[in-house]
Amino acid sequence: FPSHDMFAVFRESRSALLREIQQLIDEKHQITTNLIAQTGKSLHSLLSDPLLKLSKALNIDIDLNGDLTYLLPDVFIELGTALAKNNLSWAILIDDLDKLEPAELGILISALHAANQKSLPVLCIGAGRLQLTKKVGDAKPYAERIFEFKLID
């Protein structure tokens, strides 16, 4: 896995590239979750099923009842710790990441940062249109230092 999360900024379609990335990760027998953010769809509704499925596969209980602002960093740390113990890693591939509301994007960034600080095998590859870089920076000012941004034509 790369040393930090990456957000890719695209001018055109991203789906094919994200599928290729998912296939490469799957070939390494690691865990991937492929999601598409939608305008008006909450981060909670986007991540709940994949988080519960992963926790079940790892035989751990997680609680998603409550405010994700406080829950998600702990959930990512708990899942990341279990993944590391099993020599596994988890890549979350999110298309149209720019469609998340800034507050929800901030929650995701905080959770990824918490896992990254502990060197846990949780990675997010987010894809979106040109405004993604600005939205990430607006959501969490420190994000530009901890994420890698790539413009892909």
Side-chain angles (χ1 to χ4, degrees), residues 3-43:
S3 60
H4 50 80
D5 301 284
M6 181 176 76
F7 291 135
V9 180
F10 294 84
R11 295 182 198 276
E12 299 296 329
S13 175
R14 302 155 306 276
S15 300
L17 181 58
L18 286 175
R19 278 193 301 273
E20 286 180 39
I21 292 169
Q22 181 176 11
Q23 184 177 5
L24 290 171
I25 296 168
D26 288 345
E27 287 172 2
K28 301 287 184 191
H29 304 287
Q30 299 305 307
I31 301 166
T32 57
T33 299
N34 198 352
L35 303 169
I36 300 173
Q38 299 172 5
T39 302
K41 186 173 183 180
S42 73
L43 183 64

Side-chain angles (χ1 to χ4, degrees), residues 7-140:
F7 291 135
V9 180
F10 294 84
R11 295 182 198 276
E12 299 296 329
S13 175
R14 302 155 306 276
S15 300
L17 181 58
L18 286 175
R19 278 193 301 273
E20 286 180 39
I21 292 169
Q22 181 176 11
Q23 184 177 5
L24 290 171
I25 296 168
D26 288 345
E27 287 172 2
K28 301 287 184 191
H29 304 287
Q30 299 305 307
I31 301 166
T32 57
T33 299
N34 198 352
L35 303 169
I36 300 173
Q38 299 172 5
T39 302
K41 186 173 183 180
S42 73
L43 183 64
H44 194 282
S45 65
L46 186 68
L47 289 177
S48 290
D49 287 344
L51 290 172
L52 292 171
K53 182 179 175 184
L54 181 58
S55 69
K56 185 176 179 180
L58 295 168
N59 291 318
I60 59 172
D61 291 322
I62 60 169
D63 181 13
L64 295 178
N65 296 315
D67 187 349
L68 277 187
T69 304
Y70 305 105
L71 294 175
L72 201 58
D74 290 339
V75 168
F76 275 29
I77 289 170
E78 189 173 350
L79 289 172
T81 301
L83 288 159
K85 286 179 183 175
N86 288 288
N87 293 315
L88 292 169
S89 55
W90 178 41
I92 312 161
L93 301 130
I94 307 177
D95 197 0
D96 290 331
L97 192 59
D98 54 295
K99 291 184 179 179
L100 279 182
E101 293 297 322
E104 302 219 320
L105 188 55
I107 294 167
L108 177 63
I109 290 167
S110 294
L112 292 166
H113 185 58
N116 190 290
Q117 286 183 312
K118 296 185 176 290
S119 299
L120 295 172
V122 177
L123 171 74
C124 180
I125 300 175
R129 292 182 172 63
L130 293 174
Q131 66 267 27
L132 177 60
T133 305
K134 181 178 179 341
K135 279 187 96 170
V136 168
D138 289 347
K140 292 288 181 184

